[in-house]
Amino acid sequence: MVKYNRLFFERSPRFPHPLYGEGFKKLSISNLSFSLNEHCIFNNVNIDLLRHDLSLIIGENGIGKSTLFKIITKQLPGYSGEVILDGRNTSEYSSRELATKIAYLPQKIIFDTPYTVLEMLAMSGYSNQKETEGLIQEALNLFQIEEIMHKKITQLSGGEMQRALLASTYVVGGHLMLLDEPFSFLDPGQRRRFFELIVRLHEQQKRTFFLVVNSLEEIMMFKDVERLKIYVIKDTQIASFDEIDKNFSKLFYDIFGVKVGK
Amino acid sequence: MYKFIVLSIVTILVLLFSPFFGERYINIFSFLYEQDSFYILLNYRIPRIILAFFAGAGLSLSGMMFQSLFCNVLATPYTLGISSAASFGALCAMALGFTFNVWIFDQTVVFAIIFAVLSLIVTYLISRRYAEGRMSDMLLIGVAMNFLFSSLIMLLQFHLDYLNAFKFMHWMFGSIRNVSYEVAIFEFTIIVFVTILVFALRKELDLLSLGEEFAQSRGVNVAYVRWVLIGIGSVLIGSIVAFFGPIAFIGLIVPNIARAIFGAVHGKLIFSTLLIGGSLLVVADVLSRAIFSPVELPVGIFSSVIGAIFFCFLVINRRH
C-alpha cells in the first residue's frame, strides 16, 4: 500500500502524457468480412479512425457493434480483410503492445472479486508499468474518484462503477479509447457528467474515441463536438456520417422507426 | 502488514508445537532424554507435519489459481475433474493388483498421476477443438469429466473384493500417508517451483480474476497465461492427490479465507493462502490423530469440519 500512498505527494499531471503523445495515428479497417456460425455479420466493411476523431457507432442489438470492437482488439480471429493500426496489422501486435495503443472498455462488466478501486486502477496499468503511477494520479483527478478509491468495486453504485471503469481504461494508457456502451446503467445526470468527461478528454488531450451508443439522446449529446463521426450498422454494412443530416435521419428512421429532430 | 506478522507467528507456532501432539502426547521438556519419544518425533511426527503442511499449502494454492482463472470463488482444485481421474487411476492400480516401487513412486501414485494428466489433456483437447478455448465451456467439460470418472469409480468398485473396496474408500477420504522425508522433498520441490511461477504471473492473475475479456483488454495474453496456469496447477494437484488422496474442501475454503482477511491482490494472497492452507491441514491432521486416539480418522473429514465452520463464520461476518 505504501506504493500507492506515495501518489498523493506527487501531484504533477503531465499533459500531454508521453505515452499517448505519439501513441496513435490511424486505425483503418478495410474490406472486413466476418461470419459467426455461418451467419454473416459484416460484409466488406471499411472504417477509418484518425487521430482526434470522436466516432459513435449505433445499430440494433446483436448486429455486431461489440463484435467489431472485439475484432479491433483481436479477441476474435477468423475474419477476412485487414485491420491496420499505425501501419501494422493488429495480428502482428502482442496483447501488451496493443494495449499501449488501444484502451478498451468491454461491455456489461460484472465483478465478483473484491478489489478496491485503487487496486483495480493499479492492475489496469499492466502494459505500461513505468507510467502507471502517473496515469493513476491523473485518472484520480480527472474522474474525481478520490473519495471512492478505497471502496470495494463490488460495492459501487452504477455511476461510481462507470467512472471507476473509465478511469481504469484511462490507466491502460492507450491513446484510442474504445468504449462499449459506456452510458448504459446511468441516470440522466450521471450520463451528462460522463459525457462531459469524455468531451474534456477529447478536447484537452486530443484523444481519439470510438463509442458504442444505443439511443438517439446519446447521439444528440455529441452533436456539437468537433470531428464527430457517426457510424450506423445496417444489414452487414456500415454507413458513415459526419453530421446529423437528412440522410442520417432517414436511415435512423428506417432502422429504429424513430424520428430525428422535430 | 501486521496481519502478515500474526499469520507468520501462528504458522511457526503451529509447526513448532504440533509434532508433540498425536496418538500420544510427547513431553515437550523431556523428549530429548527419552529415546523412543525422540525416535517417534524424528521419524514419524516431524515428516508427517511437514507433509501435511505441504499438502495443505499446495491444495490451497491450486484452489486459489483455479478460482482466479475461472472468476469463480466456488471453483476447487478438483473442478476440472483431476481428482476423480487420479482416484480412478489409483483404483485401477488396486484392482489390477500388481505392485512395483521406484524411489517414492508405487503403483497407486504412478497410476494416479497418469490419469490426472490424461484427463487434463482430454479436457484441453475437447475445449480447444469444440469450445474455442472458452473458459466457461472448459469448466463445464471439466465438470462432465468429473462425473464421468466418478461413475467409472463406482462401476469398478462394484467388482472389487471387500478388502480392496475398503482400502479404496479409505484412500478416497484422503489422509497423510507415505510418511517419509523423500516425499517431503518431492512435494517441496514442486511447491517451490509452482509458487515461483504463480508469483511471476500474479499481475495476470489479478486481471484474470476480473474476467477474461477485461484481462485481455488490459493487455494480458489470456490464451497463453491460462494454459500455463492450468498446466502447473494440474501438476501440483496431481502430485498431492497421488500421495495423499483427494483431501476435500481445503482448496475451496482456504483461498476464500485468505481473500477475506488479506484482500484479493495476488501478491499478498499467494503467500497468505500457502501459510493458512498449510497450518489448517497440520492442525486438522493432529486433531484427526488425537481425538479418537488410537484410531486415526482420515484428515479429509477433519479439515472439512474445521473449514466448514470457520467458513460459515467468515461469510456471516463479511458484510459487517
Side-chain angles (χ1 to χ4, degrees):
Chain A
M1 268 306 119
V2 180
K3 196 177 150 207
Y4 303 147
N5 290 337
R6 218 174 78 216
L7 290 171
F8 301 99
F9 301 102
E10 322 174 334
R11 286 174 176 271
S12 58
R14 290 168 290 166
F15 295 113
H17 199 282
L19 206 71
Y20 45 76
E22 56 253 35
F24 173 82
K25 288 184 191 71
K26 186 182 180 188
L27 174 77
S28 64
I29 300 170
S30 48
N31 302 324
L32 174 76
S33 300
F34 181 75
S35 308
L36 201 63
N37 303 331
E38 299 178 11
H39 173 72
C40 183
I41 309 258
F42 297 119
N43 187 11
N44 255 340
V45 160
N46 295 290
I47 290 181
D48 276 334
L49 295 180
L50 295 172
R51 194 178 169 79
H52 194 37
D53 276 355
L54 196 156
S55 313
L56 308 177
I57 188 162
I58 190 163
E60 285 174 296
N61 286 343
I63 201 147
K65 292 166 289 184
S66 301
T67 310
L68 182 64
F69 277 20
K70 281 182 187 162
I71 287 173
I72 294 174
T73 53
K74 72 167 203 166
Q75 292 180 56
L76 276 180
Y79 55 85
S80 70
E82 281 182 323
V83 182
I84 295 183
L85 176 63
D86 287 349
R88 281 163 68 203
N89 212 309
T90 44
S91 57
E92 295 167 21
Y93 285 84
S94 71
S95 307
R96 207 179 260 237
E97 238 182 318
L98 201 66
T100 64
K101 297 263 187 192
I102 302 177
Y104 166 53
L105 177 62
Q107 176 191 12
K108 281 184 226 143
I109 301 181
I110 296 157
F111 291 137
D112 289 328
T113 319
Y115 294 115
T116 65
V117 173
L118 201 54
E119 286 167 350
M120 182 178 72
L121 293 188
M123 64 185 70
S124 285
Y126 175 74
S127 13
N128 58 41
Q129 316 269 350
K130 279 184 203 148
E131 311 285 347
T132 306
E133 278 198 34
L135 285 170
I136 292 177
Q137 183 56 59
E138 286 176 25
L140 288 178
N141 293 334
L142 273 169
F143 305 98
Q144 293 141 26
I145 44 176
E146 266 145 340
E147 69 267 30
I148 58 165
M149 68 186 178
H150 292 300
K151 264 191 166 180
K152 293 269 158 67
I153 54 174
T154 44
Q155 294 164 351
L156 297 179
S157 72
E160 291 172 335
M161 189 66 189
Q162 216 58 14
R163 263 191 295 155
L165 281 174
L166 191 62
S168 92
T169 310
Y170 185 85
V171 175
V172 173
H175 170 90
L176 167 64
M177 295 184 101
L178 296 185
L179 310 179
D180 198 345
E181 301 198 1
F183 296 106
S184 42
F185 312 119
L186 297 182
D187 65 40
Q190 288 170 336
R191 187 181 295 179
R192 189 80 220 166
R193 283 194 289 280
F194 201 67
F195 157 75
E196 278 158 8
L197 270 174
I198 289 173
V199 171
R200 218 168 100 204
L201 283 181
H202 181 242
E203 281 171 0
Q204 287 181 351
Q205 304 185 356
K206 309 278 182 242
R207 281 262 181 174
T208 316
F209 278 94
F210 196 15
L211 313 179
V212 172
V213 291
N214 43 18
S215 74
L216 188 58
E217 278 174 31
E218 289 164 19
I219 294 178
M220 292 316 258
M221 278 197 303
F222 284 97
K223 69 177 186 298
D224 297 324
V225 174
E226 54 177 333
R227 304 194 56 149
L228 177 70
K229 274 204 165 162
I230 305 171
Y231 294 97
V232 184
I233 307 188
K234 194 197 171 197
D235 299 339
T236 73
Q237 296 291 324
I238 296 185
S240 84
F241 301 90
D242 292 331
E243 55 183 343
I244 300 172
D245 56 10
K246 267 186 193 159
N247 291 332
F248 172 79
S249 309
K250 187 170 175 297
L251 184 62
F252 198 88
Y253 185 76
D254 276 356
I255 298 174
F256 300 103
V258 174
K259 279 193 177 138
V260 181
K262 286 155 263 170
Chain B
M1 195 62 205
Y2 79 96
K3 287 180 188 169
F4 243 112
I5 296 168
V6 171
L7 177 60
S8 309
I9 292 171
V10 169
T11 309
I12 290 169
L13 288 180
V14 165
L15 286 179
L16 273 184
F17 289 107
S18 51
F20 298 103
F21 302 94
E23 301 85 47
R24 77 186 178 87
Y25 172 70
I26 294 177
N27 193 319
I28 296 179
F29 303 104
S30 62
F31 71 92
L32 281 174
Y33 312 111
E34 296 165 18
Q35 220 174 15
D36 56 335
S37 297
F38 191 66
Y39 182 83
I40 291 174
L41 212 58
L42 202 64
N43 288 300
Y44 294 100
R45 296 278 175 86
I46 291 176
R48 183 160 180 155
I49 295 298
I50 294 173
L51 282 174
F53 189 82
F54 287 156
L59 285 174
S60 311
L61 186 68
S62 50
M64 183 208 78
M65 282 162 61
F66 281 169
Q67 288 175 7
S68 300
L69 215 51
F70 295 118
C71 310
N72 186 340
V73 291
L74 293 178
T76 72
Y78 307 144
T79 304
L80 286 185
I82 292 168
S83 87
S84 48
S87 307
F88 181 68
L91 182 63
C92 282
M94 289 175 198
L96 290 174
F98 64 94
T99 53
F100 61 89
N101 241 318
V102 187
W103 191 42
I104 48 173
F105 304 103
D106 65 3
Q107 72 280 3
T108 340
V109 171
V110 170
F111 266 69
I113 290 178
I114 289 175
F115 272 83
V117 172
L118 271 181
S119 87
L120 179 77
I121 291 173
V122 171
T123 312
Y124 172 75
L125 289 178
I126 294 177
S127 72
R128 196 182 137 134
R129 177 74 183 77
Y130 298 103
E132 292 149 7
R134 275 191 302 272
M135 238 36 215
S136 48
D137 288 356
M138 175 159 187
L139 200 61
L140 288 177
I141 293 168
V143 172
M145 295 296 279
N146 202 354
F147 279 108
L148 175 70
F149 279 110
S150 307
S151 318
L152 289 178
I153 287 171
M154 299 214 202
L155 195 70
L156 200 56
Q157 239 179 335
F158 263 121
H159 299 286
L160 279 184
D161 55 79
Y162 281 125
L163 180 68
N164 272 326
F166 182 76
K167 250 167 67 185
F168 179 70
M169 201 187 79
H170 203 268
W171 192 91
M172 280 296 285
F173 282 131
S175 70
I176 309 297
R177 289 164 304 243
N178 291 304
V179 177
S180 79
Y181 284 108
E182 280 95 345
V183 179
I185 290 168
F186 174 72
E187 298 292 349
F188 177 75
T189 318
I190 286 189
I191 285 179
V192 168
F193 167 73
V194 170
T195 307
I196 290 171
L197 272 175
V198 174
F199 188 72
L201 291 171
R202 66 191 181 283
K203 292 196 165 149
E204 284 81 356
L205 270 173
D206 279 343
L207 284 165
L208 276 171
S209 64
L210 290 178
E212 261 176 276
E213 208 185 5
F214 194 79
Q216 181 81 46
S217 75
R218 266 62 183 142
V220 177
N221 188 343
V222 174
Y224 167 74
V225 170
R226 70 176 167 211
W227 289 117
V228 172
L229 287 172
I230 288 177
I232 56 179
S234 311
V235 170
L236 184 59
I237 298 161
S239 70
I240 292 169
V241 172
F243 282 101
F244 311 116
I247 298 171
F249 217 54
I250 198 151
L252 168 65
I253 50 151
V254 171
N256 281 305
I257 293 172
R259 213 173 277 121
I261 302 176
F262 292 93
V265 177
H266 287 77
K268 282 186 268 175
L269 189 61
I270 291 169
F271 296 105
S272 50
T273 303
L274 284 172
L275 294 183
I276 295 174
S279 314
L280 188 60
L281 200 63
V282 167
V283 173
D285 184 49
V286 169
L287 288 177
S288 72
R289 276 178 290 149
I291 286 190
F292 295 106
S293 167
V295 179
E296 179 191 326
L297 286 179
V299 69
I301 296 176
F302 248 95
S303 67
S304 302
V305 171
I306 301 176
I309 295 169
F310 191 46
F311 191 53
C312 287
F313 175 74
L314 210 70
V315 171
I316 294 163
N317 274 293
R318 194 175 50 177
R319 293 280 160 221
H320 304 311

